[in-house]
Amino acid sequence: MSDILFKTDDYVFSYRAAGICIQNGMVLLQKPANDEGYAFPGGHCALGETCEETLIREWKEETGADISVGKLKWVGENFFPWSGRTCHQICLYYEIEIRSDNIPLSGSFRAKEHLEGRNFDMDFTWIPLDEVRNLQLYPTNCAQLLLNPDKGVHHFVYREN
């Protein structure tokens, strides 16, 4: 399968799905090992794959967990630096629920990520919701969205300078 990820001389375009997993007052976030910036677990959609299929595949590959995908919560148009280029990313954020008991439901654990032919370590951490505002979370407006849940689908544009 080919990820929906392409590059020009100046830009990268990325189509991604992410899972918002909240359990026991904590949210599961990921970050590359030796990095301070957190994000929501997920991955690039592949051609011909729905966002639900992407999330199920990515969570299984990265954490070994079986999940169910719930409601669409946020639609993000994200612009940020990626290897010297501007990345234009469309990311759909869904509520998800973990259906298996093979990952810890508190603390942290490490998994492997594969992107663009490289493997690297990814740390997954359960963060209490009341501590999210103190994190380096990307996109940065997501902490506010988590703490003030909206009943409908929320659209946002995030631009990192």
Side-chain angles (χ1 to χ4, degrees), residues 57-67 100 102-103 109 111:
R57 174 182 54 78
E58 286 283 345
W59 278 72
K60 189 68 165 178
E61 287 174 1
E62 293 176 9
T63 69
D66 294 316
I67 63 165
S100 55
N102 58 338
I103 66 170
F109 60 96

Side-chain angles (χ1 to χ4, degrees), residues 2-159:
S2 295
D3 286 348
I4 303 174
L5 176 67
F6 64 88
K7 299 174 182 177
T8 68
D9 289 341
D10 299 319
Y11 285 91
V12 175
F13 178 80
S14 164
Y15 180 50
R16 185 175 189 272
I20 304 166
C21 183
I22 298 173
Q23 291 189 192
N24 303 319
M26 295 185 290
V27 61
L28 184 62
L29 299 174
Q30 70 178 25
K31 69 179 188 66
N34 304 316
D35 194 320
E36 296 302 314
Y38 288 90
F40 292 89
H44 291 104
C45 298
L47 290 168
E49 185 176 60
T50 67
C51 287
E52 180 177 4
E53 292 166 338
T54 296
L55 285 169
I56 290 169
R57 174 182 54 78
E58 286 283 345
W59 278 72
K60 189 68 165 178
E61 287 174 1
E62 293 176 9
T63 69
D66 294 316
I67 63 165
S68 61
V69 180
K71 294 186 297 187
L72 175 66
K73 293 303 293 175
W74 310 329
V75 175
E77 296 180 68
N78 303 315
F79 298 85
F80 56 91
W82 181 326
S83 300
R85 301 176 203 176
T86 298
C87 182
H88 178 171
Q89 180 182 81
I90 304 298
C91 187
L92 304 183
Y93 299 81
Y94 290 84
E95 292 177 343
I96 67 116
E97 184 177 328
I98 296 174
R99 295 286 194 190
S100 55
D101 60 2
N102 58 338
I103 66 170
L105 298 180
S106 64
S108 297
F109 60 96
R110 183 162 281 178
K112 294 286 185 196
E113 168 72 270
H114 182 80
L115 181 63
E116 297 186 302
R118 294 185 0 230
N119 290 314
F120 53 95
D121 290 332
M122 187 70 73
D123 291 334
F124 289 80
T125 305
W126 289 98
I127 307 287
L129 285 171
D130 60 359
E131 293 179 19
V132 168
R133 75 182 95 232
N134 301 323
L135 296 177
Q136 192 175 351
L137 176 62
Y138 295 101
T140 56
N141 59 316
C142 287
Q144 187 67 28
L145 290 172
L146 268 179
L147 298 173
N148 297 304
D150 200 328
K151 296 214 183 297
V153 177
H154 182 82
H155 168 259
F156 65 86
V157 176
Y158 168 76
R159 290 186 187 272

